Amino acid sequence: MIKILFICLGNICRSPMAEFLLKDMVKKRGIAGDFYIASAATSTYEIGNPVHRGTRVKLAQYGISVAGKTAVQLTKEDYARYDYLIGMDTANIRDIMRIIGSDLQHKVYKLLQFAGSERNIADPWYTGNFDVTYDDIYEGCTALLDYLQNKTIV
Ligand code: 4NP
């Protein structure tokens, strides 16, 4: 079982988009049973709130539901619970490190690292553009899955 936690600032736009997109991808590849996937915020801003309408509408275009998801905050204990803690941008990584203290087991990544890029996932809370964010998250999640499948086979 591979346990993945996606992390962003509010846990209402980007990290739930990554969570439910990856859940859909593993389902389609027939490997859902090998994964536990969730998402969390670095901040307390949106705790308890549902997923942002922009993310819900975008995922609904692909038949993906986010029903029941509400924002939760990352805790120090999550570091032991998960194998991969994946942030969306450089600020997320800094905030994750502040919460968990240290990354001795090298579990913390920025999503597009898996696609060989240092780029951030733009925050649609500020840009208003959920299409660009979706394309980048799709690229990152595809690369992450390919990385994990190669790693497991080799
Ligand atoms: P997210 O976007 O980090 O992708 O969920 C944001 C959501 C809410 C806020 C900032 C970013 N906020 O300031 O409340």
Side-chain angles (χ1 to χ4, degrees):
M1 172 79 76
I2 301 170
K3 296 178 190 151
I4 298 170
L5 186 64
F6 290 111
I7 299 157
C8 63
L9 179 59
N11 192 213
I12 58 168
C13 299
R14 292 166 296 172
S15 60
M17 189 183 277
E19 173 188 345
F20 289 94
L21 182 54
L22 189 68
K23 281 178 173 170
D24 188 65
M25 287 176 170
V26 295
K27 207 165 120 190
K28 283 177 176 151
R29 292 190 191 196
I31 53 174
D34 297 333
F35 287 85
Y36 181 83
I37 303 164
S39 64
T42 55
S43 75
T44 57
Y45 302 152
E46 301 286 345
I47 299 311
N49 290 340
V51 174
H52 191 287
R53 185 173 181 281
T55 289
R56 278 194 283 117
V57 167
K58 188 69 199 170
L59 290 180
Q61 285 177 22
Y62 301 97
I64 301 171
S65 164
V66 299
K69 169 61 184 172
T70 53
V72 295
Q73 192 179 22
L74 173 69
T75 68
K76 197 175 167 68
E77 291 70 38
D78 286 328
Y79 190 71
R81 283 192 196 114
Y82 290 91
D83 304 308
Y84 294 88
L85 289 85
I86 304 175
M88 301 293 139
D89 60 32
T90 305
N92 296 157
I93 303 302
R94 184 197 62 218
D95 293 338
I96 291 167
M97 292 309 300
R98 185 175 42 76
I99 292 169
I100 65 173
S102 62
D103 180 22
L104 294 178
Q105 295 177 75
H106 193 53
K107 296 179 176 185
V108 177
Y109 296 85
K110 202 164 75 167
L111 182 57
L112 285 175
Q113 266 182 263
F114 294 101
S117 171
E118 286 304 309
R119 280 191 302 123
N120 294 321
I121 305 279
D123 191 343
W125 173 264
Y126 301 107
T127 67
N129 191 331
F130 287 81
D131 298 331
V132 166
T133 292
Y134 176 87
D135 289 346
D136 278 345
I137 288 178
Y138 185 91
E139 181 183 347
C141 284
T142 303
L144 168 62
L145 258 195
D146 291 344
Y147 166 84
L148 292 174
Q149 290 202 298
N150 285 334
K151 208 178 148 157
T152 317
I153 292 161
V154 171

